[in-house]
Amino acid sequence: MGLTEQLGHPDPRQREAAARRVAQRVWEPEAEEAIGAALVRAVGAETEPGALAAQLDALPAVEAGLTDEDLHRLGLVRSASPVLARLLARAGRLQISAPVRPSGAATLAVVRCLRGAPRTGLRLRTPDGAWTVLERIELYGRAADRLDSGYTGRVLLSGPGARGLGEWERLDADPRPRECVRGLRAPDPRVRALAAAGAAGAAGASGAAGAAGPGGAAGTGGPGAAAADPETGRMLCAALARAAATEPDPSALESELAALLSLSPFLGPPALALLHTLDAATLPARPRTCLDALLGPHRTG
C-alpha cells in the first residue's frame, strides 16, 4: 500500500503514521503534488484528533505542490491549527472589487479573497511589485483577523503600494518563494541559478510579513535568514537540495549550494539526506567548498 493510500487507511493510527512519514522526505514534484492532494483529502475527512494534528503538521512538507483547489479545500477546514493558519496566510490573494479610497496615509478598499486566508499584519505585493500591509479587516461591519477564500470585506492598506491601486487589481502574499521553487525546476540552468540566488531573500521577506508566524531560528545564515519564516525556509531548502542533488551545471550547482548555506538554520534531515548523495570528489572547487561547509560534522562515510 502506497503512502497516498495509507493516508486514507481505516485505522487512524495508520493515518497518523503515514502523515508523519510525509515530513521525513523531500519529494519529487509529481509525488509532492499527489501526496499533497491526498493529505488535503485526509484533512477534510479526518475525525480523530491525533491523526488530524499529524496531517496538518505535515502540510508544509508538500506546500509547494498544493494547487489552488487544494488550498480552497483547506480553507474550508475549521481548525485552530497555527500551521494551517500560516500556510493559508502565505497563499493569500486578494482582488480589489470596488474603487479604493485614500484614508490619511493609508487606503481603504473593498476586496474579495481569491485564495488562502490573508491575516492582519500580512505584507502583500501589488501588480507592479510594491509592498502594502494589511492593517485592518472588516467583515460584515465587524473587525476580523483574517479573510477567508470566497469572502468579501473592507480592508485598510498601508505602505508604498497602497496608493494608486485600481479596481480588479490583485494583491498577493509574497509569491517569491513559490516562484523560486518553480524556477529551480526549469530546464535552463541559468534560470535555476537565478532562482537559487533569489531564494534566501524570498525567505527573509516572508519572515518580515508579520502573519507568517514566529520568525527566526538560532544559527548562522546569510542576510535575512534569522528573520525568515521557518516553514518557508524549510520549503526552499527542500527545493534547493532536490535541485542540487541532480544538478549537471557547475554554476547552477554553486548557486544552489550557496543559497542553502544562507538558509542553513532551516536545513533539516530530509534535505541533508539529499546532499549526502553528492560526491564531493567530483565537484569543482567552489561548489565543493559550499558542500563541505553545509555537511561539516554531518558528513557520512
Side-chain angles (χ1 to χ4, degrees):
M1 181 181 291
L3 188 56
T4 55
E5 290 81 10
Q6 292 171 28
L7 288 166
H9 196 280
D11 185 343
R13 293 170 298 181
Q14 293 288 333
R15 298 196 298 272
E16 181 176 350
R20 297 195 187 284
R21 284 197 292 275
V22 169
Q24 294 172 0
R25 277 186 55 193
V26 173
W27 303 95
E28 289 299 315
E30 295 78 10
E32 191 174 54
E33 293 171 6
I35 293 171
L39 196 54
V40 170
R41 290 193 298 271
V43 166
E46 190 55 70
T47 58
E48 202 281 323
L52 178 60
Q55 292 157 1
L56 291 168
D57 287 346
L59 284 168
V62 291
E63 182 173 351
L66 297 177
T67 65
D68 284 2
E69 178 59 29
D70 292 333
L71 292 166
H72 176 73
R73 294 180 69 174
L74 287 173
L76 300 177
V77 175
R78 293 295 175 249
S79 168
S81 165
V83 173
L84 181 57
R86 292 192 298 268
L87 188 153
L88 291 173
R90 289 193 295 272
R93 173 178 290 167
L94 300 175
Q95 184 174 51
I96 308 293
S97 57
V100 300
R101 197 157 53 86
S103 177
T107 295
L108 285 169
V110 176
V111 299
R112 180 174 177 80
C113 181
L114 301 181
R115 187 179 68 194
R119 305 177 73 86
T120 53
L122 185 68
R123 289 207 317 167
L124 299 158
R125 195 164 72 169
T126 67
D128 62 1
W131 290 102
T132 184
V133 178
L134 186 55
E135 298 283 359
R136 190 174 72 233
I137 301 171
E138 290 183 5
L139 188 60
Y140 303 122
R142 296 183 178 181
D145 66 349
R146 73 180 190 192
L147 188 63
D148 290 329
S149 179
Y151 283 81
T152 297
R154 191 170 72 159
V155 301
L156 181 69
L157 301 167
S158 68
R163 295 303 184 103
L165 288 172
E167 193 172 0
W168 312 123
E169 288 187 330
R170 293 183 176 184
L171 306 172
D172 280 279
D174 191 1
R176 288 182 296 171
R178 286 175 178 268
E179 290 171 358
C180 290
V181 171
R182 287 194 294 270
L184 288 165
R185 300 172 181 173
D188 188 337
R190 294 169 297 181
V191 175
R192 297 196 298 272
L194 286 171
S206 293
T220 59
D229 164 28
E231 288 160 359
T232 299
R234 287 192 290 269
M235 178 178 74
L236 288 167
C237 281
L240 286 162
R242 181 170 58 202
T246 57
E247 183 58 70
D249 182 82
S251 295
L253 178 60
E254 181 183 343
S255 185
E256 290 153 4
L257 293 175
L260 282 165
L261 263 179
S262 72
L263 291 170
S264 57
F266 314 114
L267 187 62
L272 279 168
L274 277 178
L275 295 179
H276 278 300
T277 66
L278 288 168
D279 184 358
T282 66
L283 300 181
R286 293 174 67 174
R288 183 169 65 247
T289 299
C290 290
L291 183 63
D292 287 341
L294 281 164
L295 296 182
H298 303 290
R299 184 176 293 283
T300 59

